[in-house]
Amino acid sequence: MSIDVRYAAFGGITAILLFGTVYSVAYDTYLDTSNPVLAHLPHHLHATHYFANKSSVLNSYFIKRAWGWTSAAFLTLWLTSPPHKRTVHRVVKWGVETAVWLAFTMWFFGPALLKRLTVASGGECTATLQSGAVFTVPYEYCLTRTAISRETHPSLFVGSFAGSSADSSLWVPDDRLPVLPNLKKGHDVSGHIFLLTMSALFLVDQIRVSLRARTWSLAHACAVAFNIVLVAIWIFAIFTTSVYFHSPFEKFTGYLLGVAGYMVTLLY
């Protein structure tokens, strides 16, 4: 049963991601988030396709808080499990996955690994003004997430626009507002696909433990249902991300990292 459940999840995620990616290429539905000219703009389908909108409920309240939801689901499952299933080993697995999440998306002895990969593959730290002008600034402003403006960092603006195609005469009043530079170009691994893949596979592995228990309390049955619903949401989010965001290769590398992140737990 355990092998069947895990293989079913792995196969389902793979098939859905592949279908969504092929669809996105065939019908030109994805946004290249590595392109600094396009990345700050609304998705070209945002007006007609709800899930192409970055402010959708799915993105704002679930995907952006994916590991928080995943951790909450795991803890409800673990705390309500029969005593003989409530093992330290399962908590260690969750701790390892949390460390993987932190290393790739938040901090790894400095910048997160995903940011390091973007820089290593030719990424640039770019700032985009309200007028649409885009210019490059030193990497540290992206790595430290430092907001810049014409008032706080005048030298960056003068040096960046001198002799460039971003004509300062086209600035608008709002260009004086602070902006947060972002890493663009290079290879922008899909952090969403990475995290959603890892989260779905981890929860399925934990649900597998419950499926092997003979009896469930009402609380545990509710916890199992919560976990199954969340896995379904993560798989649906993988589909919407594969259709609307990132280039095919960026989604593929995010998927590989997500699978690898989950497989680390198999070592424990």
Side-chain angles (χ1 to χ4, degrees), residues 26 38 167 171 173 180 186 203 218 265:
L38 300 176
D167 187 353
W171 287 357
L180 192 64
L203 289 182
L218 177 59
T265 65

Side-chain angles (χ1 to χ4, degrees), residues 177-193:
L177 298 175
V179 295
L180 192 64
N182 288 292
L183 284 171
K184 300 300 177 187
K185 299 184 179 179
H187 183 71
D188 182 23
V189 177
S190 176
H192 284 173
I193 295 295

Side-chain angles (χ1 to χ4, degrees), residues 98-116 143-144:
T98 300
V100 171
W101 165 67
L102 287 170
F104 276 95
T105 64
M106 304 292 288
W107 180 87
F108 185 74
F109 302 99
L113 287 176
L114 291 183
K115 286 189 175 182
R116 292 176 187 265
L143 301 182
T144 59

Side-chain angles (χ1 to χ4, degrees), residues 201-215:
L201 291 175
F202 172 72
L203 289 182
V204 167
D205 196 20
Q206 295 303 311
I207 293 170
R208 169 187 65 91
V209 178
S210 294
L211 295 178
R212 297 164 68 180
R214 294 188 176 183
T215 58

Side-chain angles (χ1 to χ4, degrees), residues 110-191:
L113 287 176
L114 291 183
K115 286 189 175 182
R116 292 176 187 265
L117 287 170
T118 301
V119 172
S121 60
E124 296 179 356
C125 184
T126 63
T128 305
L129 302 181
Q130 293 297 318
S131 60
V134 180
F135 61 100
T136 303
V137 298
Y139 286 122
E140 62 261 24
Y141 291 98
C142 280
L143 301 182
T144 59
R145 296 189 63 78
T146 301
I148 63 174
S149 70
R150 289 165 61 187
E151 282 70 30
T152 59
H153 299 81
S155 61
L156 293 177
F157 286 70
V158 173
S160 299
F161 284 103
S164 74
S165 60
D167 187 353
S168 60
S169 66
L170 300 178
W171 287 357
V172 299
D174 281 351
D175 281 348
R176 293 184 177 276
L177 298 175
V179 295
L180 192 64
N182 288 292
L183 284 171
K184 300 300 177 187
K185 299 184 179 179
H187 183 71
D188 182 23
V189 177
S190 176

